[in-house]
Every structure is written in C-alpha cells, then in structure tokens.
Amino acid sequence: MDTYSQLRRFGLFDANVPRYTSYPPASKFSNDVAEPLHRDWIRAIAPGARVSVYLHVPFCRRLCWFCACRTQGTRTLAPVSAYVDTLITEIRAMKGILPDGVEAARIHWGGGTPTLLPPEDIARLAATLRETFVQSDTSEISVEIDPNEIDEPRMDALAAMGMTRASIGVQDFDPEIQKIIGREQSYEVTRDAIEALRARGITSLNTDLLYGLPKQSRARIASSIQMLLSLSPDRVALYGYAHVPWMAKRQSMIPTDELPGPEARLGLFETAQKHLLWDGYRQIGIDHFARPTDSLGIAANERRLRRNFQGYTDDTCDVLIGLGASAISRFPQGFVQNAAGTAAYQKAVRAGALPTGRGHAFAGDDVLRARMIEMLMCDFGVDIGTLRAEGLGPVKKINDILGQAADQFPDLVRADSTGLKVEKSAWPLARLIARQFDAYEIEASGHSSAI
C-alpha cells in the first residue's frame, strides 16, 4: 500500500482536529476561571522564578484575508496609543501581584502587528516590562515583524530595547497568491527588512510560510521556498492554511473553489519539506524546520522541545504570562485567557481588575495527557521513563492510553514497555494520533484540516 493510500485509510484527508498548541485546546476554555483564581495563580509563582511573557498587540494597518488571529484594522494610531496606555496599566498592575524577583526569560511581542507601534510606544512598553520583570543578558526578546510596516526609527527602537530574534511572516512570494489572500509583500521589501535588522545585530531570524493557499501548486511553492532560502532564515514555520470563515469572517474573501484539496495540500507540504531538507534544515515536529546550529535544532537533538501557542520552542518555563487583549497565560494550575475584545479588555484594566475572560483549571489527568500530547507532537513518540521522572503517571494509566492509540493505528504506531513510537511514514497523522490522547469531546467543525 502506498503512503497516500495508507494515510487515506486512517482518515488524514477527511479529519478536522485541534493543532494541540495547548491541552485542552482553547476551544474547551470556559468561564469557570474568574479573576480571583487568576490572581491566586499569579501570586503562587515562586519568588525569583523564570517565566515567559507574551505581549499582544491586536492592531493591523490592513487585515490580511487569510488570517484568523484576534486582530482589528485601524487607519489611525489613536486607538493604538490608547491601547498601549491600557497595556502599560495592566503590566504595572501585574507588578503589584507578582512575587519578588520574577525574571522574564522570554518575551514575545505578537499580534496583530507590533511594528505598527511608533518608536516612542515601543520604548514605553519595553521600559515598563523592565520595571516589572527582571531581565538578564540571557533573556530572549522576539518580535513579530511585518516588512510592510517597519521603518528605520522603529527598527532602532526594537534594537535599543534588546530584541534578539525577529519573526517575519512571508506566507508566499507569488504575487497572484498574495493578492488573493490580501497580503501583498514583495521579496524585495522582505529582503530589505531582513538586511536592515541584521545590520542592527539581530542575528536570529524566524520566517513563516503557508501551504494550502488558493492557486498554490508544487512549482509555485518550490519557487517561494527557493526565494526564502536565499534570505537564510534560522527557522521556518511551514503552517497549513486553516480555512475557517465561520470563525474569521475576513476569510470569506478567499475563493474556496481555488483552495487545494487535502491530498494536494500534503503534496505542497512535501515539496516545501524536500527543499528545506535539501538545504540542510532539520524538521522540527510537524511543521517547523531549523538549522542544526539554531537553538531549536539543538533542543530537538537533545529532546528538549516544547510546544506552546506560538508553535515549537525550546522554552522550558513553567509559567507563561499573557498581557493584552485575548492573550493566554499558562500556569501549573491551568490556563487563563484575557478578555478577547479590546473594549472589554480596556474596561476591565481601567477599572483596576485583571482582564480575565475565560480559562481552564487542570483536573483529573489533564496534566498527564497534556504532556503526552506535547511529547508526541515534538518527538513523534512518548517516553514513559521521562513521564515517571516528571512525577506523572501512574504507569497503568499511561500504558492504557498508549495502547488505545496503537490499536487505532496498527503497524504505524508501536507501543511497548518503554513508551510509544510513530513510524516516520505516519508523521502526517500526528494530530490524529494526539486526538487519541484527548479525553475531551471535540467538535470537528471548530477545527482546521488535519493536514
């Protein structure tokens, strides 16, 4: 049986499943987590602990039609400046709750378009973060950058605040595809932004590409990959386009009859994958690629990969603090998402409250299943010895879960006394296999294609 027939047999081309950047998925969050519990979880952070911080800027000068992120368009900077004022208020309120000496080992500015911010607002936010969290020479500060929305003064402000890694969205370099998805961004504009960043000492570069876009073909995605490789990024995230117009109304602008089918999507991924591997990148999990010398590649070699809302990471902090509208925090006790709408978020912060929207308190075997899913998504396997060393179990429960997955995917998933291993030919099934570890009811209509 050829590989596509085998993958078809196990439902890859028909299924819609979570991306499992968290467990349970954010679709299972509820209103059961309220502000008092949110506050308690922050206070429970150990003094001097190392945490990660995510800062969300939900504004864009233009709304790309392919995007399903929590963003809003703006023609002026007035609402952006007001939002920054509120964000600073939230960060300062956090300082009053956090135990002493908490260090921000990782800070990620996401959006939206963080580079929409004027230099003075970048400087104000950076200064407020330094006042609230300890930062050291080893702190990593990454920023999502739109090459169409960056200039010399803003680059100078980012460099001055200590940015160490830039993340640049490309999606596709084909002009026709860019026009269809509402994201016109030339190779030259992208190249110039990267060169300007590197001139300022930013040596770590991530880029994002999408497969499964309208009118994409193997030849077209190969051309975009070759253009991307000429820019020598350290990491490439190769995401499958999630067409969910019922969740992101702007996607209704994208013609569904131009979208490739599931099997064609896999062909697009494989074409891009082949070119990246030829150029010396290592595949990281289901959709990332990294140079062997990059910290993500090193973490993969040492089996230290983790998975979070930004995808794959070598960040091992137990706590992620989300700041801004819709930002998600993760604590050892569970997840908290800030109020999603900017109006509700600003109202709560200005009233002196934490902008708690919804969340999930871990219960039952959530932590065990979350770690098993993370291992599977990072390493295409589950190691029982590691689970036991981390205090997770019991072994019988682990074996029962692994056995159920192996039974569902005979010959592709093997379970024994040491754990579980996914055969390389079955790596595209990783999200479907992870679904076997998921104890929650999942509505397929709420999630994207499994490939």
Side-chain angles (χ1 to χ4, degrees):
M1 184 183 297
D2 67 70
T3 301
Y4 274 45
S5 296
Q6 196 172 46
L7 296 175
R8 188 183 304 111
R9 173 190 168 203
F10 289 105
L12 177 66
F13 302 126
D14 303 312
N16 286 44
V17 288
R19 291 184 182 269
Y20 288 114
T21 52
S22 72
Y23 180 80
S27 59
K28 306 307 293 184
F29 291 1
S30 71
N31 295 326
D32 293 343
V33 174
E35 201 236 19
L37 192 59
H38 185 184
R39 194 176 292 268
D40 288 344
W41 289 353
I42 296 170
R43 287 179 175 143
I45 298 170
R50 300 174 79 248
V51 304
S52 293
V53 177
Y54 174 76
L55 192 80
H56 189 62
V57 180
F59 295 94
C60 296
R61 188 86 63 183
R62 50 181 185 155
L63 292 178
C64 303
W65 301 334
F66 71 88
C67 183
C69 297
R70 288 276 188 178
T71 60
Q72 61 190 81
T74 181
R75 295 183 178 180
T76 71
L77 288 176
V80 180
S81 295
Y83 177 82
V84 169
D85 290 340
T86 307
L87 194 51
I88 287 173
T89 300
E90 182 193 8
I91 298 169
R92 287 176 174 162
M94 187 69 63
K95 181 179 181 180
I97 305 171
L98 283 168
D100 292 338
V102 172
E103 178 183 345
R106 305 287 179 101
I107 301 174
H108 183 82
W109 296 44
T113 309
T115 51
L116 182 74
L117 300 178
E120 56 271 22
D121 281 343
I122 293 173
R124 286 200 300 144
L125 278 173
T128 307
L129 287 170
R130 284 194 298 271
E131 293 166 4
T132 302
F133 299 96
V134 175
Q135 293 180 41
S136 71
D137 292 341
T138 61
S139 296
E140 180 178 293
I141 303 175
S142 55
V143 180
E144 294 176 12
I145 291 174
D146 180 350
N148 287 311
E149 196 63 57
I150 191 75
D151 56 20
E152 298 288 329
R154 283 179 283 186
M155 286 190 191
D156 290 341
L158 293 173
M161 81 171 190
M163 181 176 71
T164 59
R165 182 178 293 277
S167 182
I168 293 183
V170 172
Q171 322 318 335
D172 194 291
F173 279 123
D174 187 285
E176 183 180 15
I177 294 173
Q178 288 184 352
K179 189 172 183 179
I180 292 173
I181 66 173
R183 173 70 175 234
E184 296 184 51
Q185 176 182 315
S186 71
Y187 170 82
E188 290 76 19
V189 164
T190 307
R191 179 201 60 205
D192 291 349
I194 289 173
E195 290 179 352
L197 289 166
R198 285 177 170 154
R200 287 166 172 79
I202 311 304
T203 57
S204 297
L205 178 70
N206 301 0
T207 54
D208 296 346
L209 280 177
L210 288 178
Y211 67 90
L213 294 172
K215 290 189 177 294
Q216 258 183 348
S217 65
R218 287 179 180 248
R220 281 181 161 182
I221 200 168
S223 176
S224 285
I225 285 286
Q226 290 300 322
M227 295 170 77
L228 181 70
L229 292 175
S230 73
L231 302 174
S232 298
D234 300 280
R235 303 177 189 175
V236 177
L238 182 61
Y239 294 122
Y241 167 60
H243 191 62
V244 287
W246 56 92
M247 296 173 58
K249 292 183 179 179
R250 72 191 75 164
Q251 290 187 348
S252 62
M253 301 290 291
I254 292 178
T256 55
D257 59 343
E258 300 281 4
L259 293 170
E263 294 190 30
R265 283 169 64 94
L266 180 57
L268 292 167
F269 175 83
E270 289 176 338
T271 298
Q273 175 192 50
K274 184 181 297 184
H275 284 273
L276 288 162
L277 296 178
W278 277 344
D279 208 63
Y281 289 82
R282 169 178 176 161
Q283 184 169 341
I284 307 294
I286 63 171
D287 54 17
H288 280 46
F289 297 82
R291 295 287 189 193
T293 54
D294 182 77
S295 61
L296 202 62
I298 295 170
N301 279 334
E302 298 175 355
R303 298 180 74 86
R304 292 187 291 103
L305 276 180
R306 305 307 291 258
R307 188 160 170 82
N308 63 17
F309 295 103
Q310 278 73 58
Y312 290 99
T313 179
D314 58 341
D315 176 12
T316 57
C317 293
D318 290 332
V319 174
L320 166 67
I321 295 177
L323 301 165
S326 80
I328 299 176
S329 299
R330 186 193 188 281
F331 301 94
Q333 303 89 342
F335 295 104
V336 179
Q337 183 171 26
N338 284 353
T342 53
Y345 162 77
Q346 290 177 313
K347 180 179 179 181
V349 173
R350 290 167 182 171
L354 290 175
T356 313
R358 59 189 191 130
H360 176 85
F362 293 140
D365 55 12
D366 280 352
V367 175
L368 169 63
R369 290 178 181 271
R371 187 69 178 106
M372 292 174 72
I373 288 173
E374 183 178 51
M375 280 184 173
L376 177 73
M377 299 294 288
C378 290
D379 304 319
F380 298 108
V382 176
D383 184 73
I384 293 177
T386 301
L387 292 173
R388 298 299 293 145
E390 293 176 1
L392 301 173
V395 171
K396 184 181 184 306
K397 180 71 171 181
I398 296 171
N399 284 331
D400 287 346
I401 297 171
L402 297 182
Q404 291 169 11
D407 289 344
Q408 290 296 316
F409 299 90
D411 301 324
L412 297 178
V413 175
R414 303 183 187 278
D416 58 26
S417 60
T418 65
L420 177 143
K421 178 178 174 57
V422 179
E423 298 296 324
K424 192 168 185 177
S425 63
W427 284 8
L429 293 167
R431 288 165 61 194
L432 283 176
I433 298 168
R435 178 69 184 91
Q436 300 301 312
F437 299 169
D438 191 337
Y440 291 89
E441 290 292 329
I442 298 294
E443 294 183 10
S445 62
H447 300 282
S448 60
S449 169
I451 181 61

